[in-house]
Amino acid sequence: MPTSRRDFQLHQPPVGLVDLLAPGSSINSSIPGNAFDFFDGTSMATPHVAGAWAILKQSAPGATVAQVLSALQSTGTPISDAPTGTSYPRINVNPARIALGGGGTGVPGAPDAPVITGNGFLVTITWGLPATGGLPTSYTIIARAAPGGPILTTLPVGNLLTRTVLAPAGSYYVTVQASNGSGAGPESAGVSVNAPLLPAAPTDLAASVSGNQATFTWTAPVGGAITTGYLLVASTTPGGAPIASLPRFGPPAVVTNIPPGTYYVRVAGTNNGGMGPFSNEVTVAVAPPQPPGPPTLNAASVAGNAVTLSWSAPMTGSAPTGYQVIASFSSGGTPIATLSVPGLGVTVSAPTGTYIVRVRALSAAGPGAESNEITVVVP
């Protein structure tokens, strides 16, 4: 069974129980929520062994379980356990691959084609072990302006399978070459890349509008360079010149206080190198604010000359900033008195008489529709 070095130190299993060692201390592993954290233990060591086993079976499909285990044990780096003095093999994939017949002698074969990721001008180049030839002892990254063109630069990187570099702005064709004491092998297949590396386009941009507020959602770019932020761009014509550019960290993005009008909005990913291509475009229509709807006026309460009025707020239109009480001698007649009221009720002193009363809400969009009328009799 595989175990981590830390597991072995803590638990000290009996001699013969441990078949292989694999890295299992301070392993940076994925966790739910698209995040990472460091963990220790057999749960970290076991995936290393499983991955190594898969590589060896790919290299030597006919190898048996016993042969794969023997190759990992015989080529592993001995790690001594201080309390017992016993050594255990820590997996070393490429020598095990060669021991299984997956590699030969002489110069190495071509490495796997490089995979290039990054953030702006910071470019990470990763490649795989050669499937043929002798064991590599070093690698060289080679950059050209185009396939088959003259070499622009070479970068020796030692016996590593990844390297992060700062790339000047430009277009490059990148290959990797493995070497050992017998010489340099053939170059890998090449990959074209533009620096700076920019995010791919977001997808599925959608918008929902409520009053003068819009909420935007989209799907993050898949593949391409690292995305560290987003830029929402609004125009007054499809694909037109921007009238507003709003940085955002990610979806959803809520934009408030939008002036009335029709807008065409798209979003792009950003990173240290700049802005990537735009997403699909959505249309956002923001209507002018509407005056409040009619309040609902309740029956009045009369005690002597004191008249108490109350009403319910409108159910439609813009939010009221206040109310206006209107009194007439006839239904819908010319007002004989108006009274501004901040809330949903008021008590006033009225002369003896019969009055027709109605109320309307006020807002920045103007006065709203009048409520129902009630008759108020002051004895």
Side-chain angles (χ1 to χ4, degrees):
M1 61 174 286
T3 186
S4 71
R5 176 63 181 153
R6 178 169 292 186
D7 275 355
F8 181 77
Q9 290 174 326
L10 291 176
H11 305 305
Q12 297 183 9
V15 175
L17 179 61
V18 176
D19 298 316
L20 296 167
L21 291 179
S25 176
S26 298
I27 302 301
N28 192 15
S29 179
S30 59
I31 59 176
N34 194 28
F36 294 84
D37 203 352
F38 289 89
F39 296 93
D40 303 328
T42 304
S43 295
M44 299 295 102
T46 300
H48 282 85
V49 176
W53 205 285
I55 291 173
L56 297 182
K57 285 293 289 182
Q58 182 183 43
S59 177
T64 65
V65 170
Q67 288 171 330
V68 173
L69 177 60
S70 175
L72 287 169
Q73 290 175 324
S74 63
T75 61
T77 302
I79 302 296
S80 177
D81 177 63
T84 65
T86 304
S87 292
Y88 296 91
R90 184 179 65 199
I91 60 173
N92 198 342
V93 176
N94 204 47
R97 179 182 64 83
I98 294 173
L100 279 175
T105 59
V107 299
D112 289 346
V115 175
I116 301 180
T117 58
N119 180 358
F121 293 97
L122 197 62
V123 175
T124 297
I125 306 169
T126 305
W127 57 93
L129 295 163
T132 60
L135 177 66
T137 57
S138 65
Y139 295 89
T140 300
I141 298 171
I142 301 170
R144 297 177 171 85
I151 294 176
L152 298 177
T153 186
T154 59
L155 178 63
V157 295
N159 195 12
L160 303 172
L161 294 176
T162 186
R163 182 64 181 268
T164 299
V165 298
L166 282 171
S171 298
Y172 305 96
Y173 185 75
V174 180
T175 61
V176 179
Q177 185 179 46
S179 302
N180 60 16
S182 298
E187 295 179 35
S188 69
V191 175
S192 296
V193 61
N194 294 318
L197 291 177
L198 300 175
T203 57
D204 305 320
L205 177 63
S208 61
V209 180
S210 177
N212 65 346
Q213 174 177 297
T215 300
F216 297 91
T217 59
W218 61 87
T219 301
V222 177
I226 295 171
T227 303
T228 57
Y230 296 92
L231 193 68
L232 278 170
V233 174
S235 306
T236 55
T237 58
I243 61 167
S245 297
L246 305 174
R248 290 293 185 269
F249 288 111
V254 179
V255 182
T256 59
N257 298 320
I258 303 173
T262 299
Y263 305 95
Y264 300 88
V265 181
R266 49 205 189 271
V267 65
T270 61
N271 64 16
N272 290 339
M275 184 178 72
F278 283 117
S279 69
N280 58 299
E281 191 171 67
V282 295
T283 302
V284 174
V286 178
Q290 299 298 309
T296 300
L297 183 58
N298 303 318
S301 174
V302 180
N305 293 104
V307 177
T308 299
L309 301 170
S310 65
W311 54 88
S312 301
M315 300 297 292
T316 58
S318 56
T321 57
Y323 294 88
Q324 188 177 59
V325 178
I326 304 168
S328 305
F329 286 132
S330 61
S331 175
T334 302
I336 61 169
T338 60
L339 178 65
S340 295
V341 179
L344 295 174
V346 66
T347 298
V348 297
S349 179
T352 298
T354 300
Y355 306 95
I356 306 300
V357 179
R358 54 199 185 271
V359 65
R360 63 182 176 185
L362 308 175
S363 76
E370 294 181 354
S371 70
N372 56 302
E373 293 182 328
I374 62 170
T375 300
V376 177
V377 179
V378 179

